[in-house]
Amino acid sequence: MTYQFQWSVLWSGQSGSWLLQGVLTTLGISALAWVLAAALGILSGALRTVPWRSLRAAASFYVEFFRNVPLLVWMFFWYFGVPPLLPRPAQEWLFNHGAEFWAGTFALGVYHGARMSEVIRSGIQSIPRTQFEASVAMGLTTFQAYRLVIVPIALRLIVPPATNESLNLLKNSSVALTISVAELTFQTRQIETYTAKAIEALTAGTLIYLVLCVSIASVMGWVERRVRIPGLIARGG
Amino acid sequence: MSEPVIEFEAVDKWFGQLHVLRAIDLVVAAGEVVVVCGPSGSGKSTLIRCVNGLEAIQGGELRVLGESLTRPGVSMPALRTRVGMVFQSFNLFPHMTALENVMLAPVRVKGLGRAEAERAARALLERVRIPDKAEAYPANLSGGQQQRVAIARALAMQPRIMLFDEPTSALDPEMINEVLDVMTDLAREGMTMMVVSHEMGFARRVAHRVVFMDGGSIVEEAAPEAFFAAAKSDRAKEFLSKILTH
């Protein structure tokens, strides 16, 4: 028996709109989670280098706790575990407004924030201490020194590994199908279920992920060139 | 003698077990230029880093511009706006142009408008004789130019005291004078300066007083003529013989 390819399943019936919905959901959940991850990553990455032990400890706890539990467990935790802890009106609002989407966003955001944190910390720790001293010596507070000097330099240094993390985040958004977020992988499974054409459906999904990721990588490459620090070794892209 | 602006009273400092400053007594008056010299590891950099609180002291008292640095609740950022510092390794911010480096603190700390801060910054770059490098990034400046931008950056907050931590040690010989010239101008204008340096020509011409340190103590302090002509201590004589014979 030979497999009969039937590529038209991808644009006949509802497949096209399913795929489009899937792409939009994947982009939506990934973008929101990325913002959360970047904020948590910058905050905790910076806090791990400050002169106050208790802040460092809190940031270390966040990183170790959230990066060392599987993403899948976090998905279940935020979807099944957290809502019952919320006040009644919040629960109702959540379940009327796509609880699985928000649970998925939080799971992805806090998990990748913990990973992003380490990337940002390594950027900060590659900056000579004297840059910090020069900042505070002119009257900046420690917070201002981080906000205006240390973090902006670190962010310029970490674009390549941060791109890696961002692509991982986008691809890991597929795990959200386990809590029935109708993202891209969910939709390709749906096409497969309805048409029994697994290769076609998965090929479509694969190509779409590839296009999304390559696009993001090239945008980040452009960002990297735009913000690069004069005088440092620069190539790539 | 004019009012004292930096007063060390029996100041002690340790790095762990290491006793790096031992019972330091030193008073610097407004408008005075003090050059601090001594062998490597003698505590001279640590001494001036205490003045703007980059290093904390563990014993004695240190008053800067009348404010005790050991008083609980003293605001270091406020103090540091009045005490400028120039470092051995320049420490310009590499992601900002020369102009942005000079404007940063006036805009962010003093809350100056950008236009006004830019005017002042350009005037300062003029004063350190590199107005044409305002838009250059530090990587595209020579060491001497970077250090002059660093001086302009420190002056941007209109400090009352300037600290220089070996400002010419990282420079190629042909660039040392352009930095020393700017420092000399500053001294002539009446700026209070503490300068850690081995530039004995500068000390001779510009300093009011030379402080010689060894092993964390001030061994000798004297007017430059007296110090160079007839250092009293053997350690200072030995030090001078090492740095002046080549």
Side-chain angles (χ1 to χ4, degrees):
Chain A
M1 170 193 153
T2 54
Y3 184 85
Q4 290 287 319
F5 283 100
Q6 198 184 336
W7 294 99
S8 61
V9 300
L10 295 177
W11 49 83
S12 54
Q14 286 188 283
S15 299
S17 77
W18 283 343
L19 282 176
L20 183 64
Q21 283 302 318
V23 170
L24 292 177
T25 304
T26 289
L27 288 176
I29 197 172
S30 300
L32 287 172
W34 188 88
V35 170
L36 183 62
L40 288 171
I42 291 170
L43 183 69
S44 62
L47 286 181
R48 289 192 79 180
T49 67
V50 297
W52 302 288
R53 185 191 296 267
S54 54
L55 290 177
R56 285 202 306 271
S60 301
F61 174 80
Y62 163 69
V63 170
E64 297 306 347
F65 192 66
F66 282 91
R67 73 171 174 179
N68 289 320
V69 173
L71 179 58
L72 185 59
V73 174
W74 282 128
M75 289 281 173
F76 292 157
F77 174 80
W78 288 95
Y79 186 54
F80 298 112
V82 171
L85 303 176
L86 298 174
R88 193 93 214 148
Q91 282 185 41
E92 278 168 16
W93 186 90
L94 209 52
F95 283 103
N96 290 328
H97 293 83
E100 68 284 352
F101 179 86
W102 295 110
T105 301
F106 269 95
L108 266 181
V110 296
Y111 176 78
H112 280 281
R115 297 175 49 97
M116 201 76 97
S117 175
E118 289 293 85
V119 172
I120 285 158
R121 180 166 71 94
S122 64
I124 291 175
Q125 289 180 337
S126 71
I127 301 170
R129 203 189 145 66
T130 50
Q131 286 280 319
F132 176 75
E133 290 182 346
S135 314
V136 295
M138 45 196 231
L140 299 184
T141 60
T142 299
F143 177 72
Q144 285 177 315
Y146 268 83
R147 188 165 70 84
L148 301 170
V149 178
I150 303 302
V151 169
I153 295 175
L155 290 180
R156 284 166 166 81
L157 298 175
I158 54 122
V159 178
T163 304
N164 244 345
E165 266 320 306
S166 307
L167 298 179
N168 273 340
L169 185 153
L170 181 108
K171 290 178 287 178
N172 279 347
S173 68
S174 59
V175 177
L177 81 82
T178 56
I179 53 171
S180 55
V181 175
E183 46 67 65
L184 182 57
T185 307
F186 180 98
Q187 299 289 19
T188 57
R189 298 278 318 265
Q190 176 152 278
I191 294 172
E192 183 213 327
T193 311
Y194 273 76
T195 64
K197 290 293 173 191
I199 295 182
E200 289 84 340
L202 290 171
T203 302
T206 303
L207 289 177
I208 293 172
Y209 276 116
L210 197 65
V211 168
L212 291 179
C213 287
V214 171
S215 309
I216 290 172
S218 56
V219 168
M220 294 292 264
W222 176 81
V223 169
E224 187 181 345
R225 287 189 295 280
R226 279 287 307 237
V227 303
R228 80 178 189 84
I229 296 173
L232 298 185
I233 294 174
R235 279 289 179 269
Chain B
M1 181 165 147
S2 39
E3 46 153 346
V5 288
I6 303 171
E7 301 159 88
F8 285 85
E9 267 178 36
V11 167
D12 278 297
K13 172 159 186 70
W14 282 267
F15 285 129
Q17 295 295 306
L18 197 64
H19 199 171
V20 284
L21 293 179
R22 295 166 185 266
I24 299 287
D25 287 305
L26 179 69
V27 177
V28 178
E32 202 179 4
V33 177
V34 174
V35 166
V36 184
C37 63
S40 173
S42 58
K44 53 196 191 301
S45 284
T46 307
L47 181 80
I48 72 162
R49 287 163 60 88
C50 289
V51 175
N52 67 350
L54 284 184
E55 303 291 352
I57 63 172
Q58 278 84 43
E61 191 174 8
L62 172 53
R63 281 187 301 279
V64 178
L65 296 167
E67 179 118 53
S68 169
L69 301 198
T70 45
R71 185 176 62 81
V74 65
S75 164
M76 284 300 167
L79 172 83
R80 287 167 183 156
T81 61
R82 301 191 290 161
V83 183
M85 188 168 205
V86 173
F87 298 83
Q88 180 177 0
S89 49
F90 328 134
N91 295 339
L92 294 181
F93 306 133
H95 61 305
M96 298 180 186
T97 63
L99 187 69
E100 290 166 342
N101 266 277
V102 180
M103 286 170 60
L104 181 68
V107 171
R108 300 296 185 157
V109 180
K110 267 195 186 160
L112 229 57
R114 293 198 72 82
E116 194 182 342
E118 185 178 334
R119 254 197 315 280
R122 287 192 187 277
L124 280 167
L125 290 175
E126 182 100 45
R127 187 163 156 200
V128 299
R129 302 166 198 176
I130 36 172
D132 52 324
K133 297 292 182 189
E135 324 301 338
Y137 283 89
N140 302 323
L141 298 174
S142 72
Q145 291 169 335
Q146 288 189 58
Q147 194 60 300
R148 285 185 284 152
V149 174
I151 294 173
R153 180 175 72 175
L155 291 175
M157 293 302 282
Q158 300 173 306
R160 299 236 1 239
I161 299 170
M162 283 285 282
L163 308 171
F164 292 86
D165 189 3
E166 306 209 29
T168 58
S169 302
L171 294 176
D172 289 336
E174 76 270 21
M175 294 174 185
I176 289 176
N177 280 332
E178 64 191 56
V179 171
L180 292 181
D181 288 346
V182 168
M183 292 169 61
T184 305
D185 289 349
L186 206 55
R188 302 262 188 265
E189 289 159 23
M191 178 64 79
T192 309
M193 295 166 56
M194 274 187 89
V195 184
V196 172
S197 180
H198 293 155
E199 293 298 331
M200 293 302 138
F202 173 81
R204 223 187 277 266
R205 283 195 317 277
V206 180
H208 300 108
R209 198 155 34 124
V210 175
V211 169
F212 173 75
M213 290 185 72
D214 192 19
S217 306
I218 293 179
V219 178
E220 196 166 336
E221 49 178 313
E225 317 79 73
F227 181 72
F228 291 115
K232 292 192 211 75
S233 63
D234 290 341
R235 282 187 287 181
K237 281 181 199 155
E238 189 193 337
F239 174 75
L240 286 172
S241 74
K242 278 181 191 153
I243 64 164
L244 294 178
T245 50
H246 62 82

